[in-house]
Amino acid sequence: MIDRNIFKAVSSLGVEGLDNIDLNVTLNKARALDASAMAELCENYYPRILKYMYYHAGADKAEDLTGEVFLKVMRSIDKQTGNFEAWLYKIARNTIIDKARYTKARPEVELDLDVQEQTADRKDSNQKMTSALDIQSALRLLNEEQRELLTLKFIQGLNNAEIAEIMEKQAGAIRAMQFRALSSLRKLLKKEGKEDE
Amino acid sequence: MNDLEKILESCIEKRRKAGLSIEEVLKDHTQEQAEEIRPLLELSEELGSLPDPVPSPGATFKIMAEIVSTEKSNSKHAWRFLQAKGMLRLAASFVVILFLGLGSVYASSQTLPGDLLYPLKKLTEKVRFFLTANDKNKAELRLVFSDKRLAEAIRKHQQDKEIDPELLEEMLNEAKKALLYSSKLDAEDKKDVVSLLDRTTLHQRNEIEDLYKKASPNEQKILSPYLCVCNHRCKMMKNILTDMNLKSASDIQDSCMPESSILCGCKEGKPCKKSRAEVNIWKDAYPSASKNIDEH
C-alpha cells in the first residue's frame, strides 16, 4: 500500500518533477524564451532523449545527438504548438535521420564495430550488465524501424498513439510491427547466445 | 493483425494499465499461445529495465550557453549592445562556464527578482541541479533552493517593502519536490532527507511568522496562506518522523506552534484550500503524514 502511494506521488511528477500543469506553465514560459523555463525543460527531458539516443543511435553518438536535439529545441521552441513530447521525439528522430544522411553511411555498418567491441568487453562485466549489453547489441542489429519502435515503446514507455504520431504511421501498424520487432530481437538474442557457447 | 499480434498487444496493455504480472495476463490464453507470447513479454520487460546512461557535464555546456543566449534580459540596452557587437554567444558561453566553474558568484547570489543577474542565478541553479547525480543529493539541493527563495522574499521585504508571493510559492514548491524525491530513497537516505526537511520546514515557518509580525495588514493577508501551509507541514513532518521513530525539530523547539492558530489562514478548525491540497500530496508520499491533521 505504501509503495503504491509512493509510486503514485512520484510518477505524477513525470521524469524529474514536472506534472501536466507545471509542464504547461513551463512550456508557455519557454515559448516566450524564458531561460529558466528552457533550462527546466532540458533538465526534465535531457535524460529521456539521451536514453532514446543511447539505445536507438548508439552509445558513441548519444550525447552529440542529444545536444543537437536540444539546440534545435531551443532555437524553435517559440514556434512549438501541439503535443510537446511528440514534437520533441520527432526532432530527435529527424536528427538521427539527418545524421545518417550526412555521413552517407548505413548506421548498422558502424554499429557492427561497436557490437564487436562491446562483445569483447562484456566478458568482464557483471551478469546484469552483460544482459543489458546483449540486448543493446541485438537491438543494433535490428532494422532502423524496429529498433525505433522498441526504443519508443518499451524503453521510453510511450503508447501506440504517441508512437504512431512520431513515426508517422497508423496505430494499427504499430501493433503489428511490435510483434515482429520483438520476435526478431528474440531470434537475434538466441543466435548470440548460441555463438557465445 | 493476426491472433498472436492481438494477444501480445492486449497483454502489454493489461500489464501497463493494471500492473498485472506476465502469468496473470497469460492465464486466459491457451498454453500454445502463452508459450509464444511469454518470451516476448519477458523481453519487453527486459527492455524496460535497461539502465539509464549517465549524462556528462561537458555535453550540457553548449545547451546551457544557447539557453543563456536566448534569454530576454531585463536590461534591454545591455542586451542590444551584446547583440550588436556579435558577442552574445561568446559572452553566454563565458558566463555559463564561469558560473559552473566557480560555483556561486557573490554578485548573482545576492540578486533578487527584477535584477539583471537574477535569471542567471536561477539558471545556475538549474544547471547545478541538472548535474546532480543521485536522488538524495537532488532532494537536498531542492531544500537549499527552497531556503534561498525564502531568504530572497525576506530581503525583498526589507529592501522594497513588499511581499513577493511568487517567491513564497517557489519556496513551498521546492520543498515539496524534495519531499517527493525523498520518497524514492532507501530507508537510511530517506531518514536523512526527511530530518533535513523537518528542520527546513520549521525554520521556514518561524521566518514567515516573524515576517508576518512585521508586515502591514494587507501584507499579512498575502502571508497568511503560506504560514498556514507551513504550519500544516510542521505537523505532517512530525507525524512522518514519529512513524520513523525519529524526533522532530518541533519537539525540541517548544515554540513551534504557539501562535499558529491565531496566525493561520484556516477557519473554523478546518484546513484552508491551499493546505488541504498540501495534505493530500504529503499523504500520497507518506500515508502517516496526515494523522490527526484535521484537528487544526
Side-chain angles (χ1 to χ4, degrees), chain A residues 47 50-52 54-55 62, chain B residues 51-55:
Chain A
L50 180 66
K51 194 171 181 180
Y52 169 77
Y54 189 88
Y55 291 106
Chain B
D52 293 344
V54 180

Side-chain angles (χ1 to χ4, degrees), chain B residues 12 36 42-43 67 104 119 164 170 200 223 248 250 263:
Chain B
I12 290 169
E36 287 279 341
E42 285 168 352
L43 195 49
I67 293 172
S104 60
D164 186 338
E170 274 193 64
T200 306
L223 284 169
S248 164
S250 54
L263 300 172

Side-chain angles (χ1 to χ4, degrees), chain A residues 1-2 4-6 8-10 12-13 15-18 22 29 32-40 42-44 46-47 50-51 54-55 63 66-67 70-71 74-75 128-129 131-133 135-136 139 150 152-155 157-160 172 175-180 182-183 185-186 189, chain B residues 1-2 4-5 8-9 12-13 16 18 35-37 39-41 43-57 59-60 62-64 66-68 70-72 89 119 122-123 125-127 129-130 135 138 142 166 173 176-177 180-181 183-184 190 243 281 283-287:
Chain A
M1 186 63 191
I2 291 173
R4 280 191 182 179
N5 281 326
I6 288 170
K8 192 175 147 196
V10 173
S12 71
L13 284 178
V15 191
E16 288 286 354
L18 276 184
D22 284 348
K29 285 184 181 174
L33 303 181
D34 176 291
S36 186
M38 286 200 238
E40 199 164 339
C42 282
E43 180 188 307
N44 278 275
Y46 189 93
L50 180 66
K51 194 171 181 180
Y54 189 88
Y55 291 106
E63 283 207 320
T66 308
F70 280 93
L71 290 182
M74 295 311 136
R75 285 166 190 164
K128 195 179 174 188
M129 281 308 291
S131 163
L133 214 53
I135 294 184
Q136 203 178 331
L139 264 177
L150 294 184
L152 289 171
K153 175 120 189 191
F154 301 109
I155 300 176
L158 302 186
N159 63 39
N160 288 352
R175 284 192 286 272
M177 269 173 63
Q178 82 181 350
F179 183 86
R180 290 197 295 275
L182 281 172
S183 301
L185 185 63
R186 190 181 166 221
L189 283 166
Chain B
M1 222 182 356
N2 67 32
L4 287 176
E5 288 170 0
L8 176 67
E9 173 64 17
I12 290 169
E13 283 306 299
R16 278 193 176 181
E35 276 170 16
E36 287 279 341
I37 299 296
L40 302 185
L41 290 174
L43 195 49
S44 70
E45 194 168 76
E46 278 189 73
L47 284 169
S49 60
L50 283 174
D52 293 344
V54 180
S56 71
T60 60
K62 216 173 152 188
I63 304 168
M64 290 303 166
E66 181 73 15
I67 293 172
V68 175
T70 53
E71 164 71 346
K72 279 180 173 174
R89 205 57 55 83
K122 293 296 293 289
L123 185 57
E125 287 180 4
K126 300 275 180 200
V127 175
F129 184 81
F130 189 48
D135 284 333
K138 282 184 175 180
R142 286 291 182 204
E166 274 187 33
N173 275 337
K176 183 169 73 187
K177 285 177 184 172
L180 293 170
Y181 269 114
S183 64
K184 290 193 277 184
K190 190 180 284 185
D243 196 47
I281 292 167
K283 198 166 66 178
D284 275 346
Y286 292 92

Side-chain angles (χ1 to χ4, degrees), chain B residues 101-112:
Chain B
L102 301 180
S104 60
V105 176
Y106 180 78
S108 81
S109 70
Q110 297 303 305
T111 60
L112 293 172

